[in-house]
Each structure stands twice: as structure tokens, then as C-alpha cells.
Amino acid sequence: MAESLYVHVPFCTSICFYCDFAHVVYQKNLVQQWLHALSVQLSHMKINHQLKTIYVGGGTPGCLHDDELAALLKMLDPYCHEVQEYTVECNPESLTLEKAALLAKHGVNRVSLGMQSADDRLLASIGRHHTFADTCRAVSLLKQAGIHNISLDLMYSLPHQTMKDLQDSIARAIALEPTHLSLYSLTVEKNTVFGRKGIQPLDDDTEADMYEYICCELPRHGYRQYEISNFCLDGYESRHNLAYWHYDDFYGVSCGASGKEGLLRYDNEKNLMRYLQNPMARNEIHLDRQDAQFEMIMMSLRLKKGLDLSAYQHRFHHAYEEDYGSKTEALIKRGWLEESDGYVRCSDQGYEICNTVLEELMPEGE
């Protein structure tokens, strides 16, 4: 059975200019209806009561009012007895000491804060409603409540962002002593404010220079890169996200959430109003073995450690070499892959062009 649960909170107080996730602007009456629909969905799903990780994302879970957040967390209490990592996403401006204490009371031991930048001008330009001072305050409140495992999200390749802006944001983020840092380049989707206005990220060379700086600078301060966009102090990898990258099964509940159970992947209804009418509505994708094999490779090669060959064989009852041996050998000769200690991983050169490596490994006809 799956040991990880993702819960999607589809509400935000406002919509960021780059965001394409399933969300609507907060309305109290809709939140109440959503909580009821979520309880219905949970009651119909056979969820393992010995979960190892729970992740509550969004949207903005922290935008829920105290009573609403308490109702959500109480709903999840039955699944928390064995949980090792319990993460909730928050935005700095909406976090209060009361909310932080409420999270801690229900066993939340990790919070992911959407810092994005230390530059207030840049934050306003991407539709954020907090300042860097709000981020500092939020980190302090979480620590007062006893939550010390704090991840900060930052963005780069933002319009008008300079290398100095990024360097300053990283320095200020490190000074807050988070245990984990996630750094994502701006991707503009057509259904976002940026997409409709035709606003684009920075040019490829500048973005590559920024990524190179990130990968060189963070390890100097003890933050080890363990995935393409993720860095942590020793022992503070996101266990929940590792379940995705290891291609483990996981439950997804609420509108906009996805899940995987064996060769079944599913996407819950993304439209909130339709979800409220039928919380069990979802789109199911039945994978064949070849699809699942490639998906496991695709996820695992995002990790610095790479693909665990014994885990691959255990899952598919087939040796990796039988399925991908010749392609892997060719990529090793090109210097893009390497194999050692029971893992296949991207080389430093291959890691920079991971998507290209995956294209080379893609099954014929895909």
C-alpha cells in the first residue's frame, strides 16, 4: 500500500502572475463546501493508516482561516500516527503564531514557505503579496511554535531579475538557516497572467548562468544538491518528494491532486465546482509495463543518486540492462550517464541536459 498522501488545497487569497495550479480565490462558503467534499472523498478511499509522509499543498493551505485549517487537520489526524514527515505549504504573509501552533499541535513537523525572492520589487512584479520582512517573521513564528524543519522556495529567471538580485536572495535565504531550499526557474504557461501578457523568462544563457551559480554556491554553505531543483542540509531531504522521485505509490486527494497505485495513475477533477458535485470524479490512466518503466527512469534520473537498479528489478521483475542496456551503454560512452554502486545516474554533464538524456532513453514510438 502507498505510504504517502498528498492533499491539495485549491484556494489562494490572490493569484500569482506565473501560477497555473488548480486554485480559486478564497471564498468562505466555497471552503466549507470543499471541506465537506473532501471528507466524502476520504471516507470512500481506502487510505493506509500507517502513512510515512503527508504533504498539504496548493494553492495556499495557509490562507485558510484558523477554524478551517483546524477542520482540515482534524480530518487528517487518523492517518498521522506513523507519519515521519508532515509538510504544509504556507505563504509568509498569511502565517500567524496561532496557525503555526495549530500546525504543530496536529503533528506538522515541516513547513514549505513560498519566499520566492528577497527583493520586494521583484515580489510585487510577479504578483506576490508579501515582503522579505514577512518571510523573516514567518520563519521566526514557526521556530517559536517548535517547527524547525523549514524549506524555502525561491525562483530565478524572473523578468528583470539580475544575477546580483539572485545572489542577494540566496544569501538572505541562507541567513535564515532553513533546512531545505528549492529553486525553480520561471516557466510561463499560457493560462497564467504572464502567459496572457506574453511575458517571458530571461534568456537561456542567463538562466543557465543562474542555475550554475545556485549549484556552486549552495554546497559552500552545507546545502547538498540531491535533485535537480532541491538542496538540503544533511538528513533533511523531502521524504515526501523522494517518494515521487523513487516512483513509489502515493494517494492524491482533493480537486487538482494526482495519485499513483501500481500501474494506475489518476488525476482528480480539477474544476472546483465539478469536484464539489462529485468528489470521486477522476481521470484514470492505465499504464503498461513499458510506460511505467520509463516513468520510473524519468523520475529517478532527476536525483543526483540516480536510478536504483535493484529497486527497478524488484518492481518490474526484469533487469534494467535487459530493457535499457544498449541505450545506456551508448550514453555512458557519450559521457552523459554513469553506472556504479548499483545505480545508473546522470554524469555532471548529463545532469545539465537531463531532458535530452531522457529523450535518448525514451522507448521507440513514444
Side-chain angles (χ1 to χ4, degrees), residues 42-157:
L42 284 170
S43 70
H44 282 79
M45 292 180 68
K46 295 180 179 178
I47 294 177
N48 182 7
H49 279 61
Q50 294 181 314
L51 295 173
K52 295 295 187 288
T53 72
I54 296 177
Y55 194 108
V56 183
T60 312
C63 82
L64 299 178
H65 294 180
D66 289 5
D67 60 326
E68 298 157 349
L69 183 59
L72 171 61
L73 295 173
K74 186 176 181 180
M75 211 181 296
L76 299 177
D77 280 346
Y79 309 102
C80 296
H81 303 301
E82 304 293 330
V83 165
Q84 299 168 1
E85 180 189 272
Y86 192 165
T87 303
V88 174
E89 291 182 349
C90 293
N91 278 345
E93 73 273 18
S94 59
L95 188 70
T96 63
L97 184 57
E98 291 75 18
K99 281 184 182 176
L102 182 61
L103 294 175
K105 175 185 174 183
H106 285 270
V108 174
N109 56 16
R110 183 176 185 271
V111 166
S112 178
L113 273 178
M115 172 180 164
Q116 312 311 354
S117 174
D119 187 313
D120 293 347
R121 171 187 56 87
L122 274 175
L123 288 170
S125 74
I126 61 175
R128 302 292 290 185
H129 290 270
H130 72 273
T131 64
F132 179 64
D134 291 326
T135 297
C136 297
R137 179 187 58 81
V139 169
S140 177
L141 292 176
L142 289 169
K143 291 180 178 180
Q144 284 183 57
I147 299 174
H148 297 275
N149 190 359
I150 300 169
S151 178
L152 297 178
D153 282 359
L154 281 83
M155 298 182 70
Y156 63 98
S157 195

Side-chain angles (χ1 to χ4, degrees), residues 355-366:
N355 286 340
T356 302
V357 173
L358 291 171
E359 288 173 6
E360 294 290 324
L361 287 170
M362 192 175 292
E364 303 299 329
E366 292 289 320

Side-chain angles (χ1 to χ4, degrees), residues 41 45 252 257 261 264-269 278-284:
Q41 185 180 13
M45 292 180 68
E261 298 176 38
L264 171 68
R265 275 200 285 108
Y266 59 86
D267 300 312
N268 293 331
E269 172 61 58
N278 181 9
M280 301 309 296
R282 67 186 195 184
N283 178 46
E284 296 186 347

